[in-house]
């Protein structure tokens, strides 16, 4: 499909630079079929049915952004995917100044050697020393805010908490599964009282989620890979819930992509552990999920293509036009949508 079909104009003032406070004060655009309703995140329990299952991603964002020096050259490094115990692939600002074998110093006793680069220009770094890389990042790294926020304001102390969901357990993401940022203890209590179930899986979100689609046709786009895991017990509970007529509602496109990667053609979810590079565009037949809670996505992005595949391109164009006209807040710190085909 032509990528231009997924374009739209977004006024810059619709981009949220801070989350709603409290978290569950955000608005929520309910899209049921082709019907649009303006709601609040706090109304989620009212919209869902007993027996429905919300599926969360329990990945934890690490401080994966580093500023360093290679000689007299300043180098910006954003880790995006683990390659080994002490190795990470990274997107690099000023990458032309870094050659294979160069040592980059990040301060605080943290350094890494550039080992190789891939076809897309990402560089693999091997970190020096014996400490876990996560400890090194705690010393020298900072929270990797999305570029559309980081270009407008610096990262600060608030982001360490704001850009982490209440479900974060498994360290390894370099971007938050942002749909779950809206959840609070009070919301969970309301969902429990309604009989709405919760399950978690792990998908370590990579910075590749923010990469622009640079081709003209979706068939030519190469999707980034991310590591995920669904264990046997979780898969069994999800299958049992669906067999009992419960709907599986993915909280975030990351949960959706992993569920769809783990599902057989007949919709049965199997245990999964490994990389997924699933790319969902209109025409895709969904096998595992019955709905999606997600934030509002960038024009021409793989994520807007995904929601268009779920609901239909015409419906999502109308939904986004409504959200823009009604001053919904967009992107990672913005408002939510609940999509029920």
């Amino acid at each position: 499909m032509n990528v231009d079909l997924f374009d739209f104009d977004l006024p810059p003032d619709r981009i949220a630079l801070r989350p709603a406070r409290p978290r569950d004060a955000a608005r929520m655009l309910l899209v049921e079929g082709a019907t649009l309703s303006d709601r609040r995140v706090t109304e989620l329990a009212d919209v869902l049915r007993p027996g429905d299952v919300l599926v969360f991603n329990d990945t934890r964002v690490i401080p994966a952004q580093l500023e360093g020096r290679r000689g007299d050259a300043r180098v910006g490094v954003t880790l995006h995917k683990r390659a080994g115990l002490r190795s990470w692939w990274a997107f690099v600002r000023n990458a032309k100044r870094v050659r294979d074998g160069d040592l980059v110093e990040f301060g605080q006793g943290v350094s890494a050697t550039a080992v190789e680069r891939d076809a897309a220009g990402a560089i693999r770094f091997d970190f020096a020393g014996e400490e876990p890389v996560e400890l090194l990042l705690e010393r020298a790294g900072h929270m990797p805010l999305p570029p559309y926020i980081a270009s407008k304001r610096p990262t600060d102390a608030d982001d360490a908490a704001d850009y982490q969901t209440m479900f974060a357990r498994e360290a390894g993401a370099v971007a938050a599964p942002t749909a779950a940022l809206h959840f609070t203890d009070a919301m969970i209590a309301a969902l429990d009282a309604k009989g709405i179930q919760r399950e978690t899986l792990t998908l370590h979100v990579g910075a590749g989620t923010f990469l622009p689609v640079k081709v003209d046709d979706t068939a030519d786009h190469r999707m980034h890979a991310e590591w995920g895991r669904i264990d046997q017990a979780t898969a069994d509970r999800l299958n049992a819930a669906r067999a009992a007529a419960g709907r599986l509602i993915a909280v975030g496109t990351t949960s959706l992509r992993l569920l769809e990667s783990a599902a057989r053609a007949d919709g049965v979810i199997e245990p999964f552990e490994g990389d997924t590079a699933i790319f969902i565009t209109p025409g895709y037949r969904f096998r595992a999920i019955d709905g999606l809670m997600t934030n509002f996505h960038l024009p021409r992005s793989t994520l807007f293509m995904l929601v268009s595949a779920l609901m239909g391109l015409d419906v999502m164009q109308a939904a986004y036009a409504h959200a823009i006209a009604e001053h919904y807040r967009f992107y990672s710190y913005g408002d939510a949508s609940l999509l029920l085909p």
Side-chain angles (χ1 to χ4, degrees):
M1 298 184 71
N2 191 313
V3 174
D4 287 343
L5 294 172
F6 304 94
D7 203 3
F8 57 88
D9 292 323
L10 181 71
D13 65 355
R14 303 297 194 276
I15 300 172
L17 301 183
R18 298 283 183 186
R21 301 192 192 281
R23 291 182 178 219
D24 57 12
R27 300 169 71 190
M28 182 177 73
L29 179 61
L30 175 61
V31 186
E32 293 182 285
T35 302
L36 309 180
S37 303
D38 297 312
R39 310 294 285 263
R40 292 280 172 181
V41 166
T42 49
E43 298 177 74
L44 182 63
D46 299 328
V47 175
L48 299 182
R49 304 192 293 246
D52 286 345
V53 183
L54 292 171
V55 186
F56 296 94
N57 184 357
D58 68 359
T59 192
R60 185 172 185 82
V61 183
I62 59 176
Q65 208 146 43
L66 298 158
E67 294 293 331
R69 287 188 173 275
R70 199 284 298 162
D72 60 353
R74 296 180 64 86
V75 178
V77 170
T78 302
L79 308 184
H80 76 89
K81 190 172 187 296
R82 184 187 291 278
L85 187 62
R86 306 198 60 72
S87 297
W88 279 78
W89 287 99
F91 300 121
V92 179
R93 188 180 72 249
N94 209 9
K96 293 180 179 179
R97 302 296 298 271
V98 179
R99 298 182 296 272
D100 291 356
D102 283 350
L103 182 71
V104 179
E105 300 278 358
F106 298 111
Q108 305 295 321
V110 179
S111 63
T113 300
V115 177
E116 61 175 323
R117 62 185 69 209
D118 65 14
I123 297 176
R124 181 167 70 85
F125 286 95
D126 286 354
F127 283 82
E130 298 181 356
E131 291 178 278
V133 173
E134 286 76 10
L135 290 181
L136 302 180
L137 296 178
E138 291 293 340
R139 290 210 303 267
H142 54 91
M143 197 61 81
L145 285 183
Y148 45 76
I149 296 176
S151 64
K152 297 190 175 186
R153 68 165 179 82
T155 304
D156 58 30
D158 286 344
D159 293 308
D162 287 345
Y163 202 54
Q164 206 77 266
T165 77
M166 66 178 293
F167 310 97
R169 299 289 183 272
E170 301 289 335
V174 299
T178 53
L181 291 177
H182 301 295
F183 284 78
T184 63
D185 290 336
M187 276 192 65
I188 294 300
L191 293 164
D192 288 348
K194 182 74 176 285
I196 295 159
Q197 302 172 48
R198 299 190 308 280
E199 294 290 346
T200 60
L201 45 73
T202 303
L203 183 86
H204 290 324
V205 192
T209 192
F210 301 118
L211 290 178
V213 177
K214 297 180 179 179
V215 296
D216 295 326
D217 193 299
T218 58
D220 299 323
H221 179 67
R222 182 174 178 270
M223 194 70 174
H224 60 284
E226 296 166 318
W227 182 91
R229 179 180 61 227
I230 301 175
D231 62 31
Q232 181 71 63
T234 302
D236 289 345
R237 290 192 299 270
L238 290 169
N239 291 324
R242 236 184 168 194
R247 297 179 297 179
L248 301 190
I249 312 295
V251 180
T253 56
T254 61
S255 295
L256 183 152
R257 292 177 65 242
L258 186 55
L259 288 167
E260 291 295 318
S261 298
R264 300 189 323 217
D266 62 1
V268 173
I269 298 167
E270 297 186 320
F272 184 100
E273 183 167 357
D275 286 350
T276 176
I278 189 171
F279 181 27
I280 295 175
T281 58
Y284 176 85
R285 184 176 69 84
F286 287 86
R287 300 178 292 190
I289 64 98
D290 304 290
L292 170 67
M293 182 175 177
T294 186
N295 287 14
F296 292 95
H297 303 296
L298 280 73
R300 301 173 63 91
S301 65
T302 61
L303 301 182
F304 185 62
M305 295 171 192
L306 184 155
V307 297
S308 297
L310 180 63
M311 302 302 295
L313 178 57
D314 290 347
V315 169
M316 291 315 299
Q317 287 173 332
Y320 273 50
H322 174 85
I324 292 168
E326 295 298 320
H327 291 259
Y328 277 74
R329 302 164 74 248
F330 272 62
Y331 304 164
S332 293
Y333 277 156
D335 294 318
S337 62
L338 179 61
L339 311 180
L340 300 175

